[in-house]
Every structure is written in structure tokens, then in C-alpha cells.
Amino acid sequence: MGGGLVPGSFVLIGGEPGIGKSTLMLQVALQIPGEQKILYVSGEESGQQLKMRAERLGLTPNNCYILTETHLDDIFAQTAAIQPDILVADSIQTLYTSAIDASAGSISQIKECAAQLQRYAKESGVSVFVIGHITKDGNLAGPKILEHIVDTVLHFEGDRNYGYRILRSVKNRFGSTNEIGIYEMQGNGLRQVENPSEILLSQREEQLSGTAIAATLEGLRPMMVEVQALVSPTAYTVPQRSATGFDLRRLNMLLAVLEKRCGARLNQKDVFLNIAGGLRVDDPAIDLAVIAAVLSSGQDIPLNPKYCFAAEVGLTGEIRPVSRLDQRLAEAEKLGFERIFVSKYGLKGLEPRFQSKIAPVATLFELFQAISKPR
Ligand code: TYD
Ligand code: MG
């Protein structure tokens, strides 16, 4: 939240169904210190279900009141009686107000309920959290229309098949965005992950081709992330391209650059890309690792496991510097990496102790030569 909860703030928590939004908010609600009163309104689950979840989380009740209700006018009757400091509404799609003649979940209901909740937050000084479901295919009709009304937008994301979750602030009127929290969904709720790099690197005995490690930064946090690529002959006239955890258009762009600048012949190859751990990475510094993973798989040469990568790649194949190199290098060093491929440009001011660790490259072709060399 950028250092604390501002009274009267209006916060949207969006994410796919089943990702853990209710768990996160109930866990937060139950852990807020006793002198704060929380009203957790659920239109999604029964009181019994909420009680079972709270028991599963192993948290003893504090000053958290639970209300199962979807009619906003009745909810406001309860807030008037209870006078909470914090209100959680789970979810915006289930709420309705009689001020509008439309069914719950419709755009007009969502807008009107949000407007009323916002007014309530601003007038009373109560901080209001609303949960909103967002579908995977980017169909954001619903919560997306709220993004401009609220002060803060947090996205809760991750792959449901993996335990890891990232809470990402995408808009914050009261603090910096780009901040993230990393959690693991366990049998008894969400636990904070203290050392993400150590878990995100898949543990392997032998080095396989097609994997490369990127030294990324998520918010202020350095994180080593494993990129996996599979390049194989296609059985179709149009080769397949797919990316999990990475922007597909960016992958296509990087593949086009590889073809043009390194002569890689990918037009008859399927290319699949995956970010290990089910995370989505936005940091452009991952580009170089994507390229390295594709080259490694395409030529079936494993990369040295002590190598990692941190640079952006431009359209002409130039390798661009990335922000906070010192921090990335420190994390890489801590985890035992011995050679970090970075841009030849932007090395000014680098801590001298890192000089022996870096492998500066200026073009994709240089990278290609460096990693193709027999070790
Ligand atoms: P939930 O919070 O209901 O998701 P959302 O509100 O975003 O729809 O959580 C969904 C999943 O989390 C559900 O499949 C069960 C799982 N879960 C755990 O693995 N451990 C737990 O302690 C809890 C409470 C839930
Ligand atoms: Mg829920």
C-alpha cells in the first residue's frame, strides 16, 4: 500500500476467480490489530463457509465483523450501526442497489455501487476495499471500468496450478506503483515468500538446453527468474508461437530480431516460452534471457548454469542497459552466479567488485558467439 493505509482510501483488488482474493482479504482482515474495527461483507460465501475458511487460516478473531449481504442499502445500514474503520466488499459483482434497475454484476450496477462506496469512503474516512473478478482473456468489463474511480488498484495474479501469487500495485494515488508482494498459497492460507529467487529457480541436477536465468527486478525487489524455451520443427504451415508469463507480441518481436540480426532460421520452428513458477514478468531486462533460452534450445546447447542475463533488446539487435544493475548483480552474486551478461553501455558507476562478474555485450551477435562457444 506504499507505506500504510490512508484513511478514506478506496482500493480495488482484481484477479481471476479462484486466485485467492477472498483468502488474502480475510487473512488481512483477521490480522489487523484489535483497536481497528473491520467489516467484511461477503456476497459470495455463506457465514458457515467464511467461518471454515477462517478456521483453516488458523487465525483467532479480532475485531472483524462478518456480514453476508449483497444489497448495498442494507450494507450501509450495518456500517452505520457498526462504525467500522475498514470495510471489505467481496465482490463488487455481487452487490446491487435499488437506486438502479439492473441486475447485480451488470455494468450499471457495478458503476453505481462503486460510486456509492467511494462516496461513503470519502465522507466517513473509512478505508474501503472492493474485490473484483477479472477474467484471464483480458475481458475486464467490470472491474476495469472502476480503475479510474478508485485510489489504488492491486492485481492478484499467478497461475492457479502453481502455489505462487504476486500482488502487484498497478495504480496508487498515495504511493509508488511497481511494488509487489510475493506469496505462496498453502493449506492454511497465504504465506509471504522471503527469498523468491531461491524458489523460482527450478532445482535440477543436469543442465538442459533451452533454459536461461534472468536477473529481474519486480518493483524494488531483485528476483532471479528462469526462462524456458522450446524450439522445435513445426508440423504446420504457420509455426506456433506461445508464451506463458511473457508478452506474446514481445516474443514475436524478439524472434524477428533474432532472425534478422543473427540469421536464426525460425520460420519453420514452433517456439514455446514459459516463465518458471507461473509468474508474469514485465521487466524488460528479461529480454536477453529470452533470446538466450531460444538460442540454446534452437541449437540444443545447454547454457552454463552459472550464467545469467540482464538486458533489454532493441529492434536493431542492440543490447540496452537496464536500471539498478548493482542490485541485480548483488542478487545474482548472492545466489552463486559467476557471469552476468549485461549491456556494454551504461556500465558507468558500477561497483568495482562486480567488474570481474560481468560479461558486457553490445549486440545479439556478440551474445550468440559468447554462449555458443564450447565451455
Ligand atoms: P479464494 O480466496 O476463494 O479465491 P478468489 O476469492 O480469488 O476467488 O481461494 C481460492 C483457492 O485457494 C481455492 O481453490 C482453495 C485455495 N486455498 C488454499 O489452497 N489454501 C487455503 O488456506 C485457502 C483458504 C484456500
Ligand atoms: Mg472470492
Side-chain angles (χ1 to χ4, degrees):
M1 297 299 299
L5 190 55
V6 175
S9 53
F10 190 32
V11 182
L12 171 67
I13 298 180
E16 287 171 43
I19 206 73
K21 301 177 297 297
S22 302
T23 304
L24 177 74
M25 282 321 295
L26 188 63
Q27 214 169 321
V28 168
L30 290 172
Q31 285 184 97
I32 284 172
E35 57 279 10
Q36 303 271 332
K37 243 191 241 174
I38 304 106
L39 178 59
Y40 186 106
V41 181
S42 178
E44 303 245 338
E45 282 132 327
S46 68
Q48 187 58 31
Q49 283 171 317
L50 287 162
K51 181 160 186 276
M52 276 164 57
R53 174 171 296 161
E55 281 168 359
R56 187 172 173 186
L57 297 174
L59 294 168
T60 39
N62 47 358
N63 238 343
C64 181
Y65 293 72
I66 302 285
L67 172 67
T68 53
E69 179 59 70
T70 54
H71 192 190
L72 195 57
D73 313 355
D74 291 341
I75 293 169
F76 284 134
Q78 293 300 324
T79 56
I82 292 172
Q83 299 276 323
D85 300 288
I86 297 169
L87 174 69
V88 180
D90 183 6
S91 65
I92 189 74
Q93 276 99 344
T94 58
L95 301 184
Y96 73 99
T97 163
S98 14
I100 293 267
D101 186 20
S103 55
S106 63
I107 303 278
S108 51
Q109 276 293 359
I110 289 177
K111 273 189 173 161
E112 178 58 26
C113 290
Q116 290 193 23
L117 284 165
Q118 189 219 25
R119 212 172 308 135
Y120 166 71
K122 299 303 162 199
E123 284 169 10
S124 64
V126 173
S127 298
V128 176
F129 288 85
V130 289
I131 290 175
H133 296 295
I134 293 178
T135 55
K136 193 170 204 157
D137 58 351
N139 174 16
L140 307 172
K144 193 75 181 173
I145 53 174
L146 303 181
E147 291 196 351
H148 68 280
I149 305 182
V150 300
D151 300 312
T152 303
V153 179
L154 304 176
H155 272 191
F156 204 36
E157 55 191 46
D159 189 314
R160 242 176 305 168
N161 301 320
Y162 293 89
Y164 302 113
R165 303 282 182 272
I166 289 190
L167 185 66
R168 205 184 280 274
S169 102
V170 293
K171 165 180 175 179
N172 193 355
R173 215 166 257 169
F174 305 119
S176 72
T177 49
N178 289 327
E179 279 313 307
I180 60 163
I182 305 174
Y183 306 90
E184 187 177 6
M185 181 65 93
Q186 298 181 340
N188 56 352
L190 292 154
R191 291 284 164 274
Q192 192 186 332
V193 173
E194 304 279 353
N195 296 311
S197 299
E198 284 166 27
I199 320 176
L200 294 175
L201 303 179
S202 62
Q203 311 295 328
R204 225 178 307 96
E205 294 288 300
E206 52 173 336
Q207 186 64 10
L208 302 172
S209 66
T211 68
I213 311 297
T216 69
L217 271 184
E218 288 293 322
L220 295 176
R221 198 192 293 241
M223 209 159 89
M224 306 301 288
V225 170
E226 181 176 308
V227 180
Q228 305 170 336
L230 179 65
V231 178
S232 63
T234 186
Y236 305 92
T237 39
V238 179
Q240 298 183 75
R241 305 277 188 249
S242 116
T244 309
F246 188 72
D247 184 37
L248 184 59
R249 276 170 307 177
R250 185 128 194 114
L251 173 64
N252 282 324
M253 186 281 264
L254 292 175
L255 295 177
V257 172
L258 258 181
E259 292 206 320
K260 180 109 180 168
R261 307 293 162 190
C262 286
R265 275 193 292 273
L266 297 165
N267 57 352
Q268 289 177 21
K269 300 279 173 66
D270 290 335
V271 179
F272 304 95
L273 194 85
N274 180 37
I275 307 297
L279 298 181
R280 182 173 67 82
V281 176
D282 289 334
D283 183 358
I286 198 172
D287 285 357
L288 202 59
V290 170
I291 297 266
V294 168
L295 285 174
S296 164
S297 178
Q299 305 180 77
D300 203 20
I301 36 166
L303 298 175
N304 187 320
K306 298 287 177 198
Y307 286 1
C308 68
F309 304 84
E312 189 180 342
V313 174
L315 282 178
T316 61
E318 85 276 19
I319 297 190
R320 295 212 192 121
V322 290
S323 63
R324 299 175 204 260
L325 197 54
D326 278 340
Q327 241 175 302
R328 300 171 195 268
L329 292 170
E331 178 78 359
E333 186 180 49
K334 194 173 90 192
L335 291 162
F337 288 93
E338 288 165 5
R339 222 162 150 66
I340 303 138
F341 287 82
V342 299
S343 167
K344 196 177 255 172
Y345 313 106
L347 294 176
K348 241 184 274 162
L350 190 71
E351 278 183 44
R353 69 182 175 105
F354 291 133
Q355 291 297 347
S356 62
K357 300 263 168 169
I358 55 171
V361 282
T363 62
L364 276 191
F365 193 68
E366 279 180 41
L367 174 82
F368 177 69
Q369 285 183 315
I371 62 178
S372 303
K373 262 184 233 150
R375 342 177 222 127

